[in-house]
Amino acid sequence: MSLLLWNHQVTARHYRLFTDRHDRYRIAAKALVQAAAVAPGHRVLDIAAGIGCTALACLEQLGDGDVVTAVEASDAMRQEGSARTRDRPITWHTAPPKGQQYDRVICGAAIWALGPVSEVIGWMAQHVAPSGVLAVSLPAAYLGEADAPGGGSDPRLIALTEALAGLDLGNPTATALTPLTEASLTQAFRDHGFFLSRSSIRLRLTQDAYRDWLALPPVNETLLGKVSPEERPALLARCSDGLDMSSWRWETWALCAGTRVTR
Ligand SMILES: C[S@@+](CC[C@H](N)C(=O)[O-])C[C@H]1O[C@@H](n2cnc3c(N)ncnc32)[C@H](O)[C@@H]1O
């Protein structure tokens, strides 16, 4: 279900709109690239590359002549990403090129959607060169860590989801997130031969950004799954009338960078 909703024109268009208007994914991508210590000369593989936020952040650290290999399974997202980065040294693929290894393999904001974490880390590990780094980012809330309240009259940003839940338009059969914990993620890195370094960043998520993020069909499926993806953004806009747009909350992102232990 998740990949099907990612492979939708509404999703690709709104992801682009979201990224143009808000810095959430750009900040997270920059932090991930820093955690992975991407540097000139590195061969980089970006998995679940979306529309290229992480790949573009890599290019800021790479040198002239370096290229990012971006892998994105959703046709809609990949086409949007490829068009958006047309003039940049990023090659787009549906799957990692066979037989290649990379100095840096990175995956921003997707690990929980790709499958059981140990299998996913094991699959990604095959593409990491000896002494290379595998780095992933995810909202710490997906590891069960609560975000701190921010400011305004809705400092946890719950008013909009409460309003949407009240409409009773949700899809109870929507795919649940792959369960993930700090322990299972850490163990997966260790099991596949990585020495893990864990850090985090904290950003301000505004009401405005939260509303626009909720317009993404893979995100709003559990709340609005009975409505077609095309109709959801307008419904969301109506429901957000009267919200306190000055409200915001903190959002922590976990950054996990594993260095391959050479044996
Ligand atoms: C939140 S976006 C992150 C995109 C990009 N890495 C970034 O940082 O902006 C999640 C990406 O994961 C991909 N994805 C989600 N579920 C997937 C699955 N089951 N298999 C492969 N890719 C998947 C989506 O197509 C989407 O591009």
Short mmCIF file of all heavy atoms in Angstrom, two decimals, residues 2-3 6-7 15 19 24-25 28-29 32 46-54 72-74 77 107-110 112-115 137 213 216, ligand 1:
data_model
loop_
_atom_site.label_atom_id
_atom_site.label_comp_id
_atom_site.label_asym_id
_atom_site.label_seq_id
_atom_site.Cartn_x
_atom_site.Cartn_y
_atom_site.Cartn_z
N SER A 2 1.89 1.27 0.85
CA SER A 2 2.69 2.48 0.98
C SER A 2 3.33 2.89 -0.35
O SER A 2 3.21 4.03 -0.78
CB SER A 2 3.75 2.28 2.06
OG SER A 2 4.67 3.33 2.01
N LEU A 3 3.97 1.92 -1.03
CA LEU A 3 4.66 2.26 -2.27
C LEU A 3 3.66 2.68 -3.33
O LEU A 3 3.92 3.59 -4.12
CB LEU A 3 5.52 1.09 -2.75
CG LEU A 3 6.44 1.40 -3.94
CD1 LEU A 3 7.33 2.61 -3.64
CD2 LEU A 3 7.29 0.21 -4.30
N TRP A 6 2.93 6.19 -2.77
CA TRP A 6 4.07 7.03 -3.17
C TRP A 6 4.13 7.17 -4.68
O TRP A 6 4.58 8.17 -5.21
CB TRP A 6 5.39 6.47 -2.64
CG TRP A 6 5.61 6.79 -1.19
CD1 TRP A 6 5.51 5.94 -0.14
CD2 TRP A 6 5.94 8.07 -0.64
NE1 TRP A 6 5.75 6.61 1.04
CE2 TRP A 6 6.03 7.92 0.76
CE3 TRP A 6 6.18 9.33 -1.19
CZ2 TRP A 6 6.34 8.98 1.61
CZ3 TRP A 6 6.49 10.39 -0.34
CH2 TRP A 6 6.56 10.20 1.05
N ASN A 7 3.64 6.14 -5.37
CA ASN A 7 3.68 6.17 -6.84
C ASN A 7 2.40 6.80 -7.38
O ASN A 7 1.65 6.19 -8.13
CB ASN A 7 3.86 4.76 -7.39
CG ASN A 7 4.20 4.81 -8.87
OD1 ASN A 7 4.61 5.85 -9.39
ND2 ASN A 7 4.02 3.70 -9.56
N TYR A 15 4.78 16.53 -2.67
CA TYR A 15 6.12 16.43 -2.06
C TYR A 15 6.99 17.58 -2.57
O TYR A 15 7.73 18.21 -1.82
CB TYR A 15 6.76 15.08 -2.39
CG TYR A 15 7.84 14.68 -1.41
CD1 TYR A 15 7.53 13.88 -0.32
CD2 TYR A 15 9.14 15.11 -1.56
CE1 TYR A 15 8.51 13.51 0.59
CE2 TYR A 15 10.12 14.75 -0.65
CZ TYR A 15 9.80 13.95 0.42
OH TYR A 15 10.76 13.60 1.33
N THR A 19 8.41 20.58 -0.32
CA THR A 19 9.86 20.83 -0.26
C THR A 19 10.20 22.26 -0.70
O THR A 19 11.13 22.87 -0.18
CB THR A 19 10.58 19.80 -1.14
OG1 THR A 19 10.23 18.51 -0.64
CG2 THR A 19 12.07 19.94 -1.09
N ARG A 24 11.79 21.18 6.11
CA ARG A 24 11.90 19.97 6.93
C ARG A 24 12.83 18.92 6.30
O ARG A 24 13.80 18.48 6.92
CB ARG A 24 10.51 19.37 7.14
CG ARG A 24 10.51 18.09 7.96
CD ARG A 24 9.08 17.57 8.10
NE ARG A 24 8.96 16.47 9.02
CZ ARG A 24 8.68 15.21 8.64
NH1 ARG A 24 8.52 14.91 7.36
NH2 ARG A 24 8.56 14.26 9.53
N TYR A 25 12.54 18.51 5.07
CA TYR A 25 13.36 17.45 4.46
C TYR A 25 14.75 17.96 4.11
O TYR A 25 15.72 17.20 4.14
CB TYR A 25 12.67 16.85 3.23
CG TYR A 25 11.47 15.99 3.59
CD1 TYR A 25 10.19 16.33 3.17
CD2 TYR A 25 11.63 14.83 4.35
CE1 TYR A 25 9.09 15.55 3.51
CE2 TYR A 25 10.53 14.05 4.69
CZ TYR A 25 9.26 14.40 4.26
OH TYR A 25 8.19 13.62 4.60
N ALA A 28 16.78 17.88 7.36
CA ALA A 28 17.07 16.48 7.72
C ALA A 28 18.12 15.89 6.77
O ALA A 28 19.02 15.15 7.19
CB ALA A 28 15.80 15.65 7.70
N ALA A 29 18.02 16.24 5.48
CA ALA A 29 18.97 15.71 4.50
C ALA A 29 20.38 16.23 4.78
O ALA A 29 21.36 15.47 4.73
CB ALA A 29 18.54 16.08 3.09
N LEU A 32 21.84 14.44 7.70
CA LEU A 32 22.20 13.05 7.37
C LEU A 32 23.54 13.01 6.62
O LEU A 32 24.40 12.18 6.91
CB LEU A 32 21.09 12.41 6.52
CG LEU A 32 21.35 11.00 6.01
CD1 LEU A 32 21.56 10.01 7.15
CD2 LEU A 32 20.20 10.53 5.10
N ASP A 46 22.16 6.84 -2.97
CA ASP A 46 21.04 7.38 -2.19
C ASP A 46 19.82 6.49 -2.42
O ASP A 46 19.28 6.45 -3.52
CB ASP A 46 20.77 8.83 -2.63
CG ASP A 46 19.60 9.45 -1.89
OD1 ASP A 46 19.18 8.91 -0.85
OD2 ASP A 46 19.10 10.49 -2.37
N ILE A 47 19.40 5.78 -1.36
CA ILE A 47 18.30 4.82 -1.49
C ILE A 47 16.98 5.46 -1.05
O ILE A 47 16.94 6.18 -0.05
CB ILE A 47 18.61 3.56 -0.66
CG1 ILE A 47 19.77 2.81 -1.33
CG2 ILE A 47 17.39 2.65 -0.53
CD1 ILE A 47 20.23 1.58 -0.61
N ALA A 48 15.90 5.18 -1.80
CA ALA A 48 14.59 5.82 -1.58
C ALA A 48 14.78 7.33 -1.69
O ALA A 48 14.44 8.10 -0.79
CB ALA A 48 13.97 5.41 -0.26
N ALA A 49 15.32 7.74 -2.82
CA ALA A 49 15.80 9.11 -3.02
C ALA A 49 14.69 10.14 -3.18
O ALA A 49 14.96 11.34 -3.16
CB ALA A 49 16.71 9.15 -4.25
N GLY A 50 13.45 9.69 -3.34
CA GLY A 50 12.34 10.63 -3.44
C GLY A 50 12.50 11.56 -4.62
O GLY A 50 12.70 11.12 -5.76
N ILE A 51 12.44 12.87 -4.36
CA ILE A 51 12.62 13.84 -5.45
C ILE A 51 14.01 14.48 -5.37
O ILE A 51 14.25 15.53 -5.94
CB ILE A 51 11.51 14.90 -5.47
CG1 ILE A 51 11.50 15.72 -4.18
CG2 ILE A 51 10.15 14.24 -5.71
CD1 ILE A 51 10.67 17.00 -4.28
N GLY A 52 14.91 13.86 -4.59
CA GLY A 52 16.31 14.26 -4.65
C GLY A 52 16.83 15.15 -3.54
O GLY A 52 17.95 15.67 -3.66
N CYS A 53 16.10 15.31 -2.44
CA CYS A 53 16.56 16.21 -1.36
C CYS A 53 17.92 15.77 -0.81
O CYS A 53 18.83 16.58 -0.64
CB CYS A 53 15.56 16.26 -0.22
SG CYS A 53 13.97 16.91 -0.71
N THR A 54 18.06 14.46 -0.54
CA THR A 54 19.31 13.98 0.05
C THR A 54 20.44 13.99 -0.98
O THR A 54 21.58 14.36 -0.66
CB THR A 54 19.11 12.56 0.61
OG1 THR A 54 17.97 12.58 1.48
CG2 THR A 54 20.31 12.09 1.41
N GLU A 72 15.12 5.18 -6.70
CA GLU A 72 13.75 5.48 -6.26
C GLU A 72 12.79 4.56 -6.98
O GLU A 72 12.72 4.57 -8.22
CB GLU A 72 13.44 6.97 -6.53
CG GLU A 72 12.01 7.38 -6.28
CD GLU A 72 11.48 6.99 -4.90
OE1 GLU A 72 12.10 7.34 -3.90
OE2 GLU A 72 10.42 6.31 -4.83
N ALA A 73 12.04 3.76 -6.22
CA ALA A 73 11.16 2.74 -6.81
C ALA A 73 9.86 3.32 -7.35
O ALA A 73 9.24 2.73 -8.24
CB ALA A 73 10.86 1.66 -5.77
N SER A 74 9.41 4.44 -6.81
CA SER A 74 8.15 5.04 -7.28
C SER A 74 8.42 5.83 -8.56
O SER A 74 9.23 6.77 -8.57
CB SER A 74 7.58 5.97 -6.19
OG SER A 74 6.88 7.05 -6.78
N MET A 77 7.65 9.65 -8.15
CA MET A 77 8.66 10.39 -7.39
C MET A 77 9.96 10.50 -8.21
O MET A 77 10.59 11.55 -8.26
CB MET A 77 8.93 9.71 -6.05
CG MET A 77 7.76 9.72 -5.08
SD MET A 77 7.37 11.35 -4.43
CE MET A 77 8.60 11.53 -3.16
N CYS A 107 20.16 6.69 3.27
CA CYS A 107 18.71 6.52 3.09
C CYS A 107 18.01 7.50 4.03
O CYS A 107 18.02 7.31 5.25
CB CYS A 107 18.32 5.07 3.40
SG CYS A 107 16.53 4.82 3.32
N GLY A 108 17.45 8.55 3.46
CA GLY A 108 16.81 9.58 4.27
C GLY A 108 15.31 9.38 4.34
O GLY A 108 14.64 9.21 3.32
N ALA A 109 14.78 9.39 5.55
CA ALA A 109 13.33 9.44 5.77
C ALA A 109 12.56 8.33 5.07
O ALA A 109 11.52 8.59 4.45
CB ALA A 109 12.80 10.81 5.33
N ALA A 110 13.05 7.10 5.14
CA ALA A 110 12.32 6.01 4.46
C ALA A 110 12.50 4.64 5.11
O ALA A 110 11.72 3.74 4.82
CB ALA A 110 12.76 5.93 3.01
N TRP A 112 11.77 3.01 7.69
CA TRP A 112 10.64 2.32 8.31
C TRP A 112 9.65 1.77 7.29
O TRP A 112 8.86 0.88 7.60
CB TRP A 112 9.90 3.27 9.27
CG TRP A 112 9.30 4.43 8.54
CD1 TRP A 112 8.05 4.49 7.99
CD2 TRP A 112 9.92 5.68 8.25
NE1 TRP A 112 7.86 5.70 7.37
CE2 TRP A 112 8.98 6.44 7.52
CE3 TRP A 112 11.16 6.24 8.54
CZ2 TRP A 112 9.26 7.73 7.07
CZ3 TRP A 112 11.44 7.52 8.09
CH2 TRP A 112 10.51 8.25 7.37
N ALA A 113 9.68 2.33 6.05
CA ALA A 113 8.70 1.92 5.03
C ALA A 113 9.22 0.80 4.14
O ALA A 113 8.48 0.26 3.33
CB ALA A 113 8.34 3.13 4.16
N LEU A 114 10.50 0.44 4.29
CA LEU A 114 11.11 -0.45 3.31
C LEU A 114 11.00 -1.93 3.67
O LEU A 114 11.28 -2.79 2.83
CB LEU A 114 12.59 -0.08 3.11
CG LEU A 114 12.85 1.37 2.65
CD1 LEU A 114 14.34 1.59 2.40
CD2 LEU A 114 12.05 1.72 1.41
N GLY A 115 10.64 -2.23 4.93
CA GLY A 115 10.50 -3.63 5.32
C GLY A 115 11.14 -3.87 6.68
O GLY A 115 11.56 -2.92 7.34
N SER A 137 18.32 8.23 8.25
CA SER A 137 17.69 9.22 9.14
C SER A 137 16.22 8.88 9.27
O SER A 137 15.62 8.29 8.36
CB SER A 137 17.82 10.62 8.56
OG SER A 137 17.05 10.74 7.38
N TRP A 213 2.43 18.75 5.04
CA TRP A 213 2.95 17.38 5.08
C TRP A 213 1.79 16.38 5.10
O TRP A 213 1.82 15.35 4.42
CB TRP A 213 3.83 17.21 6.32
CG TRP A 213 4.41 15.84 6.51
CD1 TRP A 213 5.40 15.26 5.77
CD2 TRP A 213 4.03 14.89 7.51
NE1 TRP A 213 5.67 14.00 6.25
CE2 TRP A 213 4.84 13.74 7.32
CE3 TRP A 213 3.10 14.89 8.55
CZ2 TRP A 213 4.73 12.61 8.12
CZ3 TRP A 213 3.00 13.76 9.35
CH2 TRP A 213 3.81 12.64 9.13
N LEU A 216 0.13 14.77 1.95
CA LEU A 216 0.72 13.66 1.18
C LEU A 216 -0.12 12.39 1.38
O LEU A 216 -0.29 11.93 2.52
CB LEU A 216 2.15 13.40 1.66
CG LEU A 216 3.16 14.51 1.41
CD1 LEU A 216 4.46 14.25 2.18
CD2 LEU A 216 3.45 14.64 -0.08
C1 LIG B 1 9.60 10.57 2.82
S1 LIG B 1 10.20 10.11 1.25
C2 LIG B 1 11.94 10.43 1.45
C3 LIG B 1 12.58 10.84 0.16
C4 LIG B 1 14.03 11.32 0.27
N1 LIG B 1 14.92 10.29 0.76
C5 LIG B 1 14.14 12.57 1.11
O1 LIG B 1 14.89 12.55 2.09
O2 LIG B 1 13.46 13.56 0.81
C6 LIG B 1 10.12 8.32 1.33
C7 LIG B 1 10.54 7.64 0.03
O3 LIG B 1 10.57 6.22 0.25
C8 LIG B 1 10.04 5.56 -0.87
N2 LIG B 1 9.37 4.30 -0.43
C9 LIG B 1 8.35 4.20 0.44
N3 LIG B 1 7.99 2.90 0.60
C10 LIG B 1 8.82 2.18 -0.18
C11 LIG B 1 8.95 0.79 -0.45
N4 LIG B 1 8.16 -0.11 0.15
N5 LIG B 1 9.92 0.40 -1.31
C12 LIG B 1 10.74 1.30 -1.91
N6 LIG B 1 10.66 2.64 -1.71
C13 LIG B 1 9.71 3.08 -0.85
C14 LIG B 1 9.02 6.51 -1.45
O4 LIG B 1 8.79 6.27 -2.82
C15 LIG B 1 9.60 7.88 -1.14
O5 LIG B 1 10.28 8.41 -2.23
#
